[in-house]
Amino acid sequence: MKVLVIAETKQGKVKKGTLELLGAANAWGAEASVLLAGAGVAGEVDTLGRHGASKVYVADDASLGMYVTAPFAALAVEAFKASGADLILFADSELGKDLGPRVAAKLGLPFIPGAVSVAPEAGKVVAKRTSIAGKVMETLEAPLPAIVSLKAGTFEPKEVGGSAASESLSLPQSDLRTIVREVLKETSERVDLGDARIVVAGGRSVRGPEGAKLIEDLADVLGAAVGASRAACDSGYFPHACQVGQTGRTVAPDVYIAIGISGAIQHTAGMTGSKVIVAINTDPDAPIFSIADFGIVADLFTVVPLLTEEFKRLKAGNTVAV
Amino acid sequence: MKILVCLKQVIDVELNVQLRDGRIVEEGLQYAMNAYDESALEAALQLKDKTDCEVVVLSMGPDRVADVLKKALAMGADSAVHLDDPAVTGGDSYATAQAIAAYANGKGFDLVLMGRQAQDTDAAGTGPMVAEILGLPQVTNIVSLEQESDGKFLTRRVGDDGREVVSVDAPAVITVSNDFGEARLPTMKGILGAKKKPLTVVTLADLGLDVSKVGAAGSKTQVVGREKPSGRAAGRKLTGEGPDLAKQLVEYLVNEARVLA
Ligand SMILES: Cc1cc2nc3c(=O)[nH]c(=O)nc-3n(C[C@H](O)[C@H](O)[C@H](O)COP(=O)(O)OP(=O)(O)OC[C@H]3O[C@@H](n4cnc5c(N)ncnc54)[C@H](O)[C@@H]3O)c2cc1C
Ligand SMILES: Nc1ncnc2c1ncn2[C@@H]1O[C@H](COP(=O)(O)O)[C@@H](O)[C@H]1O
């Protein structure tokens, strides 16, 4: 069994989602190769090797600094051919959603998007995924070779201590039909939403910049990423890149703290994979409580600042927890 | 300018979904225009508000999909096409893309606008596949769209690291996020006017597309089972005084769930 992982990077570093894909290959005992495309990324071959890649196809060039479909699709095809993979794995990120189906159509291969469990068998892959905003779990089958994208948190990254051989891919011909003019810097220097171990998310009821600040302060003391509901993003309290849910990102942190979020299915579709869910809401009947491990029925404006203080004290070593 | 907007009729996801023998029970379901496609249509109509532009809407499916086409005409689309063929049902994104591409091919569309995903499949696969089959550039998950003086389209899309400003040459396939903004409502005048607009029914034979390319036969993936997800159980729910609640939560995360190292 041979697996090709399509890597994603941010500021030259491989994202956690990519290491999770290697974790999958590792769990199946498969031989893993990786396509590592970007600008200033070649230094990550070691990291990939340590997480179980035996071969890394590298395309490191300034022209690949921003993701655009055409060159990445061409590189994925080249890496697929060179690796002889049975299965190509993407993260179910915005990049994976843009590139996975394009590459599938290019190669004429089956595409299973957003899988939450995958088992390669002889000659085929069987995967589970949700549809209808998380209301139905489907089991899909496809013959190999196939392409599957995995939701965040489906597999754990694991250091296995190997090392990878690297091979440079030649750069694809440029296709100037699509040009990324700029990436708007809206997200802060906080940890990436997809990589975060803790996510603190705010809803419509933060009501304005002061409320949003309470969410950000709590996130900062926890070293967490900030998430948000669609209503909160639409109201301009948080950038759209923070949105978690069916339209937004899927996250699977250790802790997800939903603050003033009702728990609409379109929101929960993006966070039910979290290990621990905490909800803070004034309405004891809010649907979010039905999936929360720990719920607090309280006004966020009272309880969030207290929580921030509590965590500050904890951090200062002055443990209040008994 | 000529724009094709692909509209899927989806089941209302807010309603209860029942399963029987691994299939969704059709009885009692209600249908609506896919929310993402409504945004795609709104994007097309906004271009039409500004420039001379013909908006054609396409939907594939049984008789009932005429409802979304009529709604689109009432909202302002110029003409509608219903790809009505029993063979198209049950297709995955790949099979769906074959049919849409077969319709769009050679008709001189400057833009093919689609939803970034269908609310029922949550697949987000069809747009990029249509783009590949037609050999066109793609921009996915856009939240704004305008035409520039040189004919290129300027979009903003939500990518993994924030919003990106992306320009694309026509013709192109663009998929639209429902964060594009609320779609307009059909007006009374629009509803009356819609009755005079053309709604054409086409079949696979009209498109010269073999039945083996679409529906379940043309799909590369097969759904072999459906079940209700096991879901998460509710844990504890506390009420009380703020300071005490805050302490209890910290205690839970640190000492019980042990998720804060
Ligand atoms: C196709 C589609 C895709 C969508 N995609 C997404 C998505 O990706 N992500 C997403 O989030 N949504 C998405 N939505 C929208 C979703 O359906 C909900 O409308 C949205 O999640 C609601 O956001 P909210 O919980 O912040 O607001 P509301 O539903 O208005 O909830 C606010 C909550 O705050 C509580 N509250 C009020 N005051 C306080 C206070 N002082 N302290 C504490 N709690 C308080 C209230 O009790 C309530 O539960 C989508 C919808 C559609 C149709
Ligand atoms: N039956 C259909 N008729 C028209 N357009 C469709 C149909 N199915 C899918 N589409 C288009 O493809 C998009 C993505 O669908 P999906 O790949 O299923 O998420 C939708 O938002 C529609 O624009």
mmCIF file of all heavy atoms in Angstrom, chain A residues 202-220:
data_model
loop_
_atom_site.group_PDB
_atom_site.id
_atom_site.type_symbol
_atom_site.label_atom_id
_atom_site.label_comp_id
_atom_site.label_asym_id
_atom_site.label_seq_id
_atom_site.Cartn_x
_atom_site.Cartn_y
_atom_site.Cartn_z
ATOM 1 N N GLY A 202 -16.385 32.707 19.730
ATOM 2 C CA GLY A 202 -17.432 33.637 20.129
ATOM 3 C C GLY A 202 -18.579 33.671 19.136
ATOM 4 O O GLY A 202 -18.377 33.467 17.942
ATOM 5 N N GLY A 203 -19.771 33.937 19.650
ATOM 6 C CA GLY A 203 -20.968 33.994 18.807
ATOM 7 C C GLY A 203 -21.531 35.388 18.703
ATOM 8 O O GLY A 203 -20.923 36.367 19.143
ATOM 9 N N ARG A 204 -22.723 35.461 18.143
ATOM 10 C CA ARG A 204 -23.420 36.715 17.917
ATOM 11 C C ARG A 204 -23.524 37.551 19.193
ATOM 12 O O ARG A 204 -23.442 38.765 19.177
ATOM 13 C CB ARG A 204 -24.831 36.406 17.407
ATOM 14 C CG ARG A 204 -25.619 37.610 16.958
ATOM 15 C CD ARG A 204 -27.125 37.334 16.976
ATOM 16 N NE ARG A 204 -27.531 36.136 16.253
ATOM 17 C CZ ARG A 204 -27.767 36.097 14.951
ATOM 18 N NH1 ARG A 204 -27.634 37.164 14.221
ATOM 19 N NH2 ARG A 204 -28.135 34.964 14.370
ATOM 20 N N SER A 205 -23.667 36.846 20.319
ATOM 21 C CA SER A 205 -23.957 37.544 21.563
ATOM 22 C C SER A 205 -22.747 38.267 22.152
ATOM 23 O O SER A 205 -22.868 38.903 23.196
ATOM 24 C CB SER A 205 -24.533 36.569 22.583
ATOM 25 O OG SER A 205 -23.688 35.459 22.677
ATOM 26 N N VAL A 206 -21.577 38.227 21.499
ATOM 27 C CA VAL A 206 -20.485 39.099 21.978
ATOM 28 C C VAL A 206 -20.837 40.563 21.701
ATOM 29 O O VAL A 206 -20.258 41.466 22.308
ATOM 30 C CB VAL A 206 -19.091 38.740 21.397
ATOM 31 C CG1 VAL A 206 -18.717 37.301 21.657
ATOM 32 C CG2 VAL A 206 -19.001 39.069 19.930
ATOM 33 N N ARG A 207 -21.754 40.748 20.761
ATOM 34 C CA ARG A 207 -22.440 42.026 20.536
ATOM 35 C C ARG A 207 -21.571 43.193 20.061
ATOM 36 O O ARG A 207 -22.099 44.245 19.728
ATOM 37 C CB ARG A 207 -23.219 42.479 21.782
ATOM 38 C CG ARG A 207 -24.373 41.571 22.136
ATOM 39 C CD ARG A 207 -25.457 42.316 22.891
ATOM 40 N NE ARG A 207 -25.035 42.809 24.164
ATOM 41 C CZ ARG A 207 -25.319 42.230 25.340
ATOM 42 N NH1 ARG A 207 -26.042 41.126 25.355
ATOM 43 N NH2 ARG A 207 -24.898 42.745 26.463
ATOM 44 N N GLY A 208 -20.285 43.064 20.038
ATOM 45 C CA GLY A 208 -19.474 44.195 19.581
ATOM 46 C C GLY A 208 -18.006 43.979 19.904
ATOM 47 O O GLY A 208 -17.620 42.931 20.434
ATOM 48 N N PRO A 209 -17.169 44.979 19.586
ATOM 49 C CA PRO A 209 -15.721 44.853 19.789
ATOM 50 C C PRO A 209 -15.328 44.552 21.246
ATOM 51 O O PRO A 209 -14.386 43.794 21.475
ATOM 52 C CB PRO A 209 -15.167 46.206 19.355
ATOM 53 C CG PRO A 209 -16.268 46.957 18.732
ATOM 54 C CD PRO A 209 -17.551 46.248 18.961
ATOM 55 N N GLU A 210 -16.067 45.109 22.217
ATOM 56 C CA GLU A 210 -15.676 44.855 23.623
ATOM 57 C C GLU A 210 -15.890 43.390 23.964
ATOM 58 O O GLU A 210 -15.055 42.761 24.620
ATOM 59 C CB GLU A 210 -16.472 45.721 24.614
ATOM 60 C CG GLU A 210 -16.268 47.224 24.475
ATOM 61 C CD GLU A 210 -17.167 47.826 23.408
ATOM 62 O OE1 GLU A 210 -18.347 47.402 23.315
ATOM 63 O OE2 GLU A 210 -16.694 48.694 22.646
ATOM 64 N N GLY A 211 -17.011 42.851 23.511
ATOM 65 C CA GLY A 211 -17.298 41.428 23.734
ATOM 66 C C GLY A 211 -16.282 40.558 23.027
ATOM 67 O O GLY A 211 -15.802 39.560 23.578
ATOM 68 N N ALA A 212 -15.944 40.952 21.791
ATOM 69 C CA ALA A 212 -14.960 40.175 21.021
ATOM 70 C C ALA A 212 -13.614 40.178 21.743
ATOM 71 O O ALA A 212 -12.895 39.172 21.761
ATOM 72 C CB ALA A 212 -14.822 40.745 19.616
ATOM 73 N N LYS A 213 -13.296 41.315 22.366
ATOM 74 C CA LYS A 213 -12.029 41.452 23.087
ATOM 75 C C LYS A 213 -11.974 40.454 24.251
ATOM 76 O O LYS A 213 -10.912 39.885 24.543
ATOM 77 C CB LYS A 213 -11.889 42.898 23.584
ATOM 78 C CG LYS A 213 -10.689 43.209 24.439
ATOM 79 C CD LYS A 213 -9.540 43.685 23.572
ATOM 80 C CE LYS A 213 -8.276 44.116 24.305
ATOM 81 N NZ LYS A 213 -8.046 43.681 25.643
ATOM 82 N N LEU A 214 -13.115 40.237 24.907
ATOM 83 C CA LEU A 214 -13.145 39.274 26.018
ATOM 84 C C LEU A 214 -12.765 37.877 25.524
ATOM 85 O O LEU A 214 -12.044 37.133 26.200
ATOM 86 C CB LEU A 214 -14.549 39.220 26.656
ATOM 87 C CG LEU A 214 -15.076 40.497 27.297
ATOM 88 C CD1 LEU A 214 -16.467 40.253 27.882
ATOM 89 C CD2 LEU A 214 -14.111 40.981 28.386
ATOM 90 N N ILE A 215 -13.268 37.526 24.325
ATOM 91 C CA ILE A 215 -12.957 36.223 23.726
ATOM 92 C C ILE A 215 -11.458 36.150 23.424
ATOM 93 O O ILE A 215 -10.779 35.168 23.732
ATOM 94 C CB ILE A 215 -13.764 36.025 22.412
ATOM 95 C CG1 ILE A 215 -15.262 36.214 22.645
ATOM 96 C CG2 ILE A 215 -13.438 34.688 21.756
ATOM 97 C CD1 ILE A 215 -15.923 35.217 23.520
ATOM 98 N N GLU A 216 -10.933 37.234 22.827
ATOM 99 C CA GLU A 216 -9.515 37.254 22.443
ATOM 100 C C GLU A 216 -8.605 37.212 23.668
ATOM 101 O O GLU A 216 -7.568 36.530 23.654
ATOM 102 C CB GLU A 216 -9.222 38.504 21.614
ATOM 103 C CG GLU A 216 -9.839 38.425 20.229
ATOM 104 C CD GLU A 216 -9.938 39.771 19.524
ATOM 105 O OE1 GLU A 216 -9.482 40.791 20.102
ATOM 106 O OE2 GLU A 216 -10.497 39.790 18.408
ATOM 107 N N ASP A 217 -8.997 37.911 24.722
ATOM 108 C CA ASP A 217 -8.178 37.898 25.939
ATOM 109 C C ASP A 217 -8.099 36.494 26.526
ATOM 110 O O ASP A 217 -7.036 36.040 26.954
ATOM 111 C CB ASP A 217 -8.760 38.853 26.987
ATOM 112 C CG ASP A 217 -8.539 40.314 26.593
ATOM 113 O OD1 ASP A 217 -7.736 40.548 25.650
ATOM 114 O OD2 ASP A 217 -9.176 41.195 27.200
ATOM 115 N N LEU A 218 -9.231 35.808 26.544
ATOM 116 C CA LEU A 218 -9.228 34.434 27.064
ATOM 117 C C LEU A 218 -8.361 33.552 26.171
ATOM 118 O O LEU A 218 -7.567 32.741 26.669
ATOM 119 C CB LEU A 218 -10.665 33.889 27.145
ATOM 120 C CG LEU A 218 -10.804 32.447 27.634
ATOM 121 C CD1 LEU A 218 -10.181 32.259 29.018
ATOM 122 C CD2 LEU A 218 -12.274 32.010 27.667
ATOM 123 N N ALA A 219 -8.498 33.733 24.842
ATOM 124 C CA ALA A 219 -7.689 32.946 23.909
ATOM 125 C C ALA A 219 -6.203 33.191 24.172
ATOM 126 O O ALA A 219 -5.403 32.255 24.197
ATOM 127 C CB ALA A 219 -8.045 33.303 22.466
ATOM 128 N N ASP A 220 -5.838 34.444 24.388
ATOM 129 C CA ASP A 220 -4.425 34.768 24.554
ATOM 130 C C ASP A 220 -3.831 34.164 25.811
ATOM 131 O O ASP A 220 -2.714 33.657 25.794
ATOM 132 C CB ASP A 220 -4.226 36.286 24.521
ATOM 133 C CG ASP A 220 -4.409 36.823 23.116
ATOM 134 O OD1 ASP A 220 -4.315 36.013 22.168
ATOM 135 O OD2 ASP A 220 -4.659 38.029 22.955
#
